[in-house]
Amino acid sequence: MQAKETLLADLVQGRAQQFQVPLYQRTYSWTEKHLKQLWSDILEQAELLETGGKASTHFLGSLVLAPSPQNEATFPRWLVVDGQQRLTTLALALAAIRDHIAGTQPEEAERIDEEYLINKRKSGHDHLRLLPTQADRPPFAAHIRGAVTDQAAGGGVAAAYGFFRRKLVEADDPAAPQDVFRLEQAITSRLTLVAVTAERGDNVHRIFESLNNTGLKLSQADLLRNYLFMRLPTRGEHIYETYWLPLQNSLSNDELEQLMWLQLVLDGDDRVRRQDLYTAQQQRFEHGEVGEPEIEAYIRELHRHGTLFRRLLHPEEEPDASVRAHLHRLDAWQAQVTYPALMLLLDRRERGELDSPATARAMSYIESFLVRRMICRVPTNNLNRIFQAMPGQLPLDVPVDQGLHQLLSADNRFWPDDDELREKARTAPFYQYGRWNQRRMVLERLEESHEHPEPVDFAAAQLTIEHVMPQSPGDEWLEMLREDAADSESTEDLHARLQHTLGNLTLTAVNSELSNHPFERKQGLLQGSHLEMNRRIAATERWGATEILARADELAERAIGLWPAPLRGVGRAERSRDWHLAHQVLAALPHGTWTSYGDLAAFLGSGAQAVGTHLANTPQVANAYRVLTSDGKVSDGFRWAPQDTGGDIRARLAADGIRFTISGAADPAQRLTSDDLALLIAGADEDQTDGEDTTQDTATAGQGEETRADRFIRQLTADDSPETVEAVRTLLARWEALGGWIGYGAGHVTTSAFLVLGEAGGPGHGIWPLTLYPGSGRGGTAEVVFQHLAAREPFTDRALRAELLRRLNELEGVDIPEGKLELRPSFRLSLLEKDHNRKLLTETLTWFRDRWESGRTS
């Protein structure tokens, strides 16, 4: 048996060979959580290559190989006893890079294919350099060979390939562009593996067990602490009691590790990673003459910084009111990414280099930078780099607050100016970007700008974000919109374009009478609100497109007054950045789905005609031909962009799994709306719903008050037939009989009911397959939360989610396409009036409960 460190390039490059995954191995099972971590590691290594950094390569894990029984002297074959998930993932990442550049650099795409993915002169299974286990072979081979069929479109292999295609489009972000060949080099030459190669007769399974029998690992903070006190032979006890023990008692181990990392960053090390903290600090101490006095000075400085760091974690400990207010807001924003800049400001203030007003002013620039970027939908993927580099880049010839203003205003920082803020307030779907707490904080600050003599206690008010013009408008709303729609835009497209914009959103704690009723019935309730923004809405005679845009203009001016602008004279790239978002979401379209020009325009905050023009003139936009008219037809003006392959567009659509109706239109069930598009690229930390609306609370109301359960049934009764209401009551009772519980949402305009398994106390504590919503004028719906399930065991296994989809599609009237398996599709609650459908759904929920329980015990 031999063990050695190797790289993917050394392992697979240069000769014909094959790595075979035995049939007894489990199928490919990496989820998006694993893929995101790997992608983060790849980006870090690519950045190190770009800067010439000397930091160590990233250790990816072990690989246990044994000679295959089919081994030949001229064509070596190896059994992959351990490590098949890593090898499969890296191969799919390289295939995605190959296909990403195939249209513009075909020779480089062919090179990647021949060096890493295929054995050029072999055929059949031998053509593949990696041969997965039998169940994974068809989809893996299809993605390596580049001809994806319906059979290969689903499953974990397809999901991983799609993830990397999407991330490669995202990596073209003009704010932080990545060289695709540097990403290739990071994958093949910066991710290290320990390859254990067994001889015939070795017990490879015993090797596997030994490698995976891991114990509790020491943290970076533990390692560094041990190192420091080993170097304090005479003063260790005094320093421990005076500085270290109080520091350790005031911070958790994770917080202490973060503080140690921040101290390195404040010292100008803008590339250090937290996982390299121990090595980086050790190297600093190993250079030059470092004795006990220097070690003591480091720990004393760490202790001083610990007091400052606690103010970021607990803003109430900050003595200055203005600085404290900024820290509270940044804490509510969950802006941990800004910690290097905030620590820099607090440190400079303590050193006497700036006073509290200047500190607050500098923090206002940081807050504005985050808020304006969120309102204008600037991607957040380069924020770590921006703030980590700040201590080393701060100008020395100007005051600290002015220097920070200059840094954030620099080219490629994309801090939106006033004109862009005004435009995005009118057009961008504010409700679909950022985290729910960030959206609510923006609206709270806008309300505070009215300087009401009796300020609202937002912490106690339990306000939620509500749409004034509802998301599911009734006939009265549609008639009002029809008056405002231009000749070239349908009423539905106008609604989709405006519903999520800032001008149509407000905060409210009023009860459910608001619902989706006509505007006239909302005015009285809004007039009685304590919030000035609601009284102003109530004072408006109607609420159509003109009024929504006018309110957006007013809120934009308030936002400009609240959040300072960047300095003038820096380069901007708004248009290219906006279209980059379009490219990113089109690259993420699942197999078997399409979208319309109006849907894509509403998602972007653009116009449908502009979308069509851009797609027609921009080559190499993935899936551009899957953008159709709202009725599912190829646009009369469609043409292939320059340099695109072209061909019969209907044949291309059919190959991508698009079904056609008898009239020749694309199947409307496979259409993705603007809301679906937003879900496609929502990060794990970007909750697309107002967080208060999904809070679970089964507590009973006080005497005479309406419970959430009562509110849900009342709203359902107001819109659906008695038969549907009774069917829903039966469903809820059956779910409780299965051992589940019902959580009712806190929304006042429209509530919801969650069918939950697991610990009570909120959605984050359990798992739920369905969310039920009253109809609000359109009939109640059951939302199937595939996106939620994809992050919760055991349904991280895509095959289980696909089985749930299959079972639900057995209900008469339910036809959810597989392309929506990562989204939140829905069906009408009225379908449950049929006994057969209720029986099938109960069986499906029983199956769901059994799978969840077996996953907990396995």
Side-chain angles (χ1 to χ4, degrees):
M1 184 183 72
Q2 296 179 344
K4 67 175 183 178
E5 188 174 290
T6 188
L7 301 167
L8 185 68
D10 297 330
L11 188 70
V12 304
Q13 192 178 11
R15 63 171 180 165
Q17 60 179 323
Q18 189 174 73
F19 299 88
Q20 303 174 340
V21 179
L23 299 183
Y24 56 77
Q25 288 272 26
R26 63 176 177 171
T27 56
Y28 183 75
S29 59
W30 269 27
T31 65
E32 185 151 324
K33 176 183 177 181
H34 303 102
L35 297 172
K36 284 181 176 178
Q37 181 57 58
L38 175 62
W39 184 250
S40 175
D41 295 333
I42 291 170
L43 290 180
E44 285 181 348
Q45 292 299 324
E47 289 180 10
L48 291 172
L49 286 168
E50 180 183 4
T51 60
K54 301 298 184 182
S56 60
T57 55
H58 177 74
F59 176 60
L60 194 59
S62 60
L63 183 66
V64 180
L65 304 174
S68 168
Q70 302 169 340
N71 198 16
E72 300 174 9
T74 58
F75 186 53
R77 295 181 174 94
W78 302 94
L79 291 179
V80 183
V81 180
D82 184 36
Q84 64 118 338
Q85 304 285 339
R86 302 180 187 96
L87 283 185
T88 305
T89 305
L90 296 179
L92 291 169
L94 290 168
I97 291 176
R98 174 200 65 189
D99 296 343
H100 183 74
I101 63 173
T104 55
Q105 297 173 282
E107 292 181 358
E108 290 294 329
E110 185 178 2
R111 173 188 61 77
I112 292 174
D113 213 23
E114 295 179 5
E115 287 186 358
Y116 304 112
L117 301 175
I118 65 169
N119 297 306
K120 185 176 181 180
R121 292 177 175 81
K122 298 288 184 178
S123 59
H125 287 329
D126 289 348
H127 186 66
L128 301 175
R129 200 157 291 192
L130 173 66
L131 187 65
T133 191
Q134 196 165 23
D136 285 332
R137 286 178 188 174
F140 182 81
H143 285 90
I144 298 301
R145 293 186 169 121
V148 181
T149 63
D150 282 343
Q151 180 186 8
V157 167
Y161 173 83
F163 171 86
F164 289 117
R165 285 302 304 268
R166 186 169 77 246
K167 288 299 181 183
L168 287 165
V169 175
E170 182 182 314
D172 285 334
D173 179 3
Q178 291 284 346
D179 183 334
V180 68
F181 296 109
R182 195 171 287 122
L183 294 171
E184 176 204 345
Q185 187 181 354
I187 293 170
T188 58
S189 303
R190 298 287 300 182
L191 303 179
T192 58
L193 298 157
V194 170
V196 179
T197 307
E199 301 293 340
R200 290 192 185 278
D202 286 340
N203 189 334
V204 292
H205 298 290
R206 182 64 57 83
I207 299 168
F208 171 80
E209 291 174 2
S210 177
L211 286 170
N212 286 276
N213 184 21
T214 56
L216 184 63
K217 295 181 179 179
L218 291 174
S219 71
Q220 293 287 300
D222 293 330
L223 291 168
L224 186 52
R225 179 199 60 217
N226 295 348
Y227 172 82
L228 292 171
F229 283 96
M230 281 192 301
R231 299 197 57 172
L232 292 168
T234 64
R235 293 186 53 78
E237 186 173 341
H238 168 74
I239 294 170
Y240 183 84
E241 292 179 355
T242 306
Y243 302 115
W244 190 271
L245 190 57
L247 180 65
Q248 188 170 275
N249 289 338
S250 67
L251 299 172
S252 69
N253 198 65
D254 183 71
E255 292 165 352
L256 183 55
E257 183 176 299
Q258 190 172 18
L259 173 63
M260 291 173 164
W261 172 77
L262 284 168
Q263 183 134 322
L264 277 172
V265 174
L266 289 175
D267 288 340
D269 193 340
D270 65 351
R271 292 289 177 177
V272 66
R273 304 176 301 172
R274 274 187 65 173
Q275 57 263 46
D276 294 331
L277 163 65
Y278 168 64
T279 301
Q281 190 62 64
Q282 183 186 32
Q283 288 175 349
R284 297 186 68 173
F285 285 138
E286 297 293 344
H287 285 87
E289 296 294 327
V290 177
E292 287 191 82
E294 288 77 18
I295 299 291
E296 179 178 356
Y298 168 78
I299 296 176
R300 190 167 57 244
E301 188 73 352
L302 196 66
H303 176 270
R304 184 178 71 85
H305 280 145
T307 303
L308 304 180
F309 184 50
R310 278 190 57 87
R311 296 178 189 175
L312 308 188
L313 304 174
H314 309 284
E316 64 275 7
E317 297 181 8
E318 164 58 40
D320 182 81
S322 182
V323 173
R324 185 168 62 248
H326 283 292
L327 289 177
H328 269 299
R329 285 196 292 271
L330 290 168
D331 182 58
W333 193 269
Q334 298 178 5
Q336 288 87 349
V337 69
T338 66
Y339 280 0
L342 297 177
M343 282 291 291
L344 172 71
L345 294 173
L346 294 180
D347 181 65
R348 295 294 180 90
R349 183 182 64 169
E350 186 163 274
R351 293 173 184 271
E353 296 181 27
L354 74 167
D355 56 17
S356 288
T359 303
R361 187 161 53 248
M363 289 182 178
S364 76
Y365 299 141
I366 295 173
E367 182 182 324
S368 172
F369 183 75
L370 297 176
V371 171
R372 285 180 176 238
R373 282 170 60 106
M374 190 274 271
I375 293 174
C376 297
R377 297 162 62 91
V378 182
T380 60
N381 51 309
N382 65 330
L383 287 179
N384 277 312
R385 181 191 296 184
I386 289 173
F387 285 105
Q388 190 170 338
M390 191 168 288
Q393 295 177 345
L394 197 68
L396 301 176
D397 55 347
V398 295
V400 175
D401 56 318
Q402 294 180 28
L404 186 142
H405 199 183
Q406 289 180 21
L407 273 183
L408 292 179
S409 301
D411 196 17
N412 290 332
R413 293 295 184 265
F414 295 99
W415 184 0
D417 60 17
D418 292 348
D419 289 340
E420 185 179 359
L421 187 61
R422 291 186 180 99
E423 178 199 349
K424 288 300 191 292
R426 291 172 65 91
T427 61
F430 176 81
Y431 191 69
Q432 292 179 325
Y433 200 73
R435 303 183 184 127
W436 68 267
N437 56 296
Q438 295 169 350
R439 299 191 289 268
R440 191 173 67 178
M441 198 198 91
V442 169
L443 288 169
E444 288 176 355
R445 289 283 285 141
L446 291 170
E447 170 63 26
E448 288 174 338
S449 71
H450 291 287
E451 298 183 350
H452 197 285
E454 298 179 11
V456 176
D457 182 355
F458 290 111
Q462 295 186 335
L463 301 175
T464 60
I465 299 176
E466 308 290 5
H467 295 70
V468 183
M469 176 180 65
Q471 299 183 69
S472 300
D475 293 338
E476 295 88 347
W477 285 101
L478 292 175
E479 184 60 35
M480 187 185 301
L481 285 175
R482 197 168 289 115
E483 299 172 7
D484 296 338
D487 293 339
S488 59
E489 187 173 30
S490 70
T491 304
E492 289 75 16
D493 283 347
L494 179 60
H495 173 263
R497 178 163 62 85
L498 292 177
Q499 64 171 328
H500 295 315
T501 57
L502 186 59
N504 189 48
L505 300 174
T506 191
L507 294 167
T508 180
V510 298
N511 62 29
S512 57
E513 276 90 330
L514 274 179
S515 189
N516 281 31
H517 292 306
F519 181 62
E520 291 79 4
R521 293 185 60 181
K522 291 189 172 186
Q523 285 178 300
L525 291 167
L526 291 172
Q527 181 61 47
S529 170
H530 188 60
L531 274 64
E532 181 64 26
M533 65 167 63
N534 288 338
R535 290 203 291 266
R536 294 193 176 205
I537 294 171
T540 308
E541 292 185 4
R542 65 190 296 274
W543 197 256
T546 303
E547 291 74 26
I548 291 172
L549 292 174
R551 182 168 180 266
D553 292 339
E554 185 219 335
L555 294 180
E557 295 307 316
R558 290 188 173 276
I560 288 168
L562 285 171
W563 292 293
L567 298 172
R568 294 184 177 275
V570 295
R572 310 218 65 81
E574 291 91 349
R575 289 301 95 197
S576 62
R577 187 181 65 247
D578 288 349
W579 292 126
H580 170 76
L581 192 62
H583 301 173
Q584 184 182 342
V585 76
L586 288 177
L589 284 183
H591 187 84
T593 61
W594 61 278
T595 192
S596 74
Y597 294 101
D599 291 321
L600 185 56
F603 165 72
L604 296 172
S606 178
Q609 186 174 1
V611 168
T613 301
H614 174 78
L615 295 181
N617 292 292
T618 308
Q620 304 300 320
V621 177
N623 297 321
Y625 56 90
R626 282 206 253 165
V627 183
L628 308 174
T629 64
S630 59
D631 57 1
K633 300 290 184 67
V634 178
S635 171
D636 291 339
F638 175 83
R639 67 177 187 275
W640 292 103
Q643 303 174 33
D644 277 357
T645 306
D648 183 347
I649 187 169
R650 276 184 60 100
R652 290 280 293 275
L653 291 168
D656 280 349
I658 305 300
R659 305 187 297 261
F660 294 92
T661 65
I662 194 169
S663 66
D667 186 346
Q670 296 179 300
R671 175 179 173 178
L672 299 189
T673 66
S674 59
D675 289 345
D676 292 330
L677 297 178
L679 288 174
L680 276 182
I681 62 170
D685 60 347
E686 292 179 6
D687 182 5
Q688 294 301 311
T689 62
D690 176 16
E692 292 299 326
D693 284 345
T694 57
T695 299
Q696 306 281 319
D697 185 355
T698 57
T700 57
Q703 185 176 3
E705 294 181 15
E706 183 181 50
T707 67
R708 293 182 183 179
D710 291 340
R711 181 187 306 152
F712 172 78
I713 293 297
R714 179 170 55 76
Q715 290 185 357
L716 190 68
T717 303
D719 190 52
D720 276 286
S721 69
E723 292 77 12
T724 297
V725 175
E726 186 56 34
V728 170
R729 288 183 185 273
T730 301
L731 173 66
L732 299 180
R734 288 179 179 176
W735 178 251
E736 290 178 322
L738 289 173
W741 56 277
I742 313 300
Y744 293 96
H748 293 289
V749 172
T750 301
T751 187
S752 50
F754 296 77
L755 277 59
V756 190
L757 292 169
E759 181 182 352
H765 297 277
I767 186 171
W768 64 100
L770 298 177
T771 306
L772 311 185
Y773 292 99
S776 302
R778 295 294 183 89
T781 55
E783 182 182 71
V784 190
V785 290
F786 289 124
Q787 186 194 44
H788 156 82
L789 294 174
R792 285 160 173 84
E793 298 292 350
F795 293 93
T796 53
D797 183 348
R798 195 176 191 275
L800 283 179
R801 302 198 305 277
E803 174 63 12
L804 175 60
L805 173 70
R806 185 194 68 76
R807 288 170 174 269
L808 289 171
N809 279 341
E810 290 183 353
L811 274 68
E812 183 181 343
V814 177
D815 182 20
I816 302 171
E818 189 173 352
K820 294 190 177 182
L821 198 51
E822 314 302 328
L823 303 174
R824 294 174 179 242
S826 59
F827 58 87
R828 293 291 176 195
L829 290 175
S830 57
L831 297 178
L832 300 181
E833 292 181 12
K834 297 183 178 180
D835 293 340
H836 179 64
N837 278 347
R838 285 201 305 278
K839 179 176 180 293
L840 286 176
L841 185 55
T842 301
E843 292 173 354
T844 298
L845 293 175
T846 304
W847 170 87
F848 181 90
R849 181 206 60 186
D850 293 345
R851 296 289 76 72
W852 177 72
E853 289 182 345
S854 63
R856 297 179 74 195
T857 57
S858 62

